[in-house]
Amino acid sequence: MMNKIAFRKPAGFTLLELLVVLVIIGLLVSFVGPRYFSQLGKSESKMARAQIRALEDALDQYRLDVGRYPATEEGLQALNAAPAGAQRWQGPYLKKAVPPDPWGMDYQYRSPGERGEYDLYSFGSDRQPGGTGDASDIGNW
């Protein structure tokens, strides 16, 4: 008597099954992707606002010690190194160097400011004055 050996087909997915899975993944990405990337722009704006608030606190401490805000020419560097003529400087007022904004640009500082005692702002994602939406300027006003 001859033993019959049953041969099985190797287990796996058919091309059709793989295509269906890829279509489902593509649909999920098309729904989730835009929502994720729109939140990314908002998080950068929130980070810029938080950094501006921290710089405002350091500037206020500088003013309490020195009696005035740093001049435009002294800039935000006055928070880390004593400018000439600042006799009561008690800094540094920041633990680290002044960070760039979330888009890699320096924060803009002007004292006296056009909108207050000083203006501290970022140009936003477009890196130019003005703009709307995620590209709008973010400042201490």
Side-chain angles (χ1 to χ4, degrees), residues 26-41:
L27 288 172
L28 288 173
V29 167
S30 69
F31 288 123
V32 174
R35 290 185 182 164
Y36 171 76
F37 288 113
S38 70
Q39 295 300 319
L40 186 62

Side-chain angles (χ1 to χ4, degrees), residues 79-91:
L79 298 173
N80 286 328
Q87 293 144 359
R88 297 185 325 222
W89 190 86
Q90 303 276 325

Side-chain angles (χ1 to χ4, degrees), residues 8-69:
R8 290 187 191 168
K9 288 173 113 182
F13 297 106
T14 65
L15 181 60
L16 182 60
E17 291 169 329
L18 290 175
L19 288 174
V20 168
V21 169
L22 288 175
V23 167
I24 291 171
I25 290 173
L27 288 172
L28 288 173
V29 167
S30 69
F31 288 123
V32 174
R35 290 185 182 164
Y36 171 76
F37 288 113
S38 70
Q39 295 300 319
L40 186 62
K42 290 179 184 177
S43 67
E44 289 172 335
S45 297
K46 287 179 182 179
M47 179 182 279
R49 283 186 181 84
Q51 287 177 335
I52 287 173
R53 278 192 299 273
L55 291 171
E56 283 180 311
D57 291 342
L59 286 165
D60 289 341
Q61 186 63 46
Y62 178 96
R63 181 179 183 212
L64 287 173
D65 291 345
V66 178
R68 62 175 175 80
Y69 288 111

Side-chain angles (χ1 to χ4, degrees), residues 51 55 76 80 94 96-102 105-107:
Q51 287 177 335
L55 291 171
L76 296 174
N80 286 328
L94 295 172
K96 299 179 182 179
V98 176
D101 70 12
M105 302 294 291
D106 289 335
Y107 281 101

Side-chain angles (χ1 to χ4, degrees), residues 77-141:
Q77 291 74 24
L79 298 173
N80 286 328
Q87 293 144 359
R88 297 185 325 222
W89 190 86
Q90 303 276 325
Y93 298 96
L94 295 172
K95 292 180 181 180
K96 299 179 182 179
V98 176
D101 70 12
W103 300 277
M105 302 294 291
D106 289 335
Y107 281 101
Q108 305 298 307
Y109 174 77
R110 184 175 34 228
S111 177
E114 295 176 0
R115 300 180 185 216
E117 293 184 79
Y118 63 88
D119 292 341
L120 177 61
Y121 56 96
S122 166
F123 288 133
S125 64
D126 65 351
R127 299 178 175 153
Q128 299 177 30
T132 58
D134 290 339
S136 63
D137 296 349
I138 299 166
N140 66 326
W141 47 82

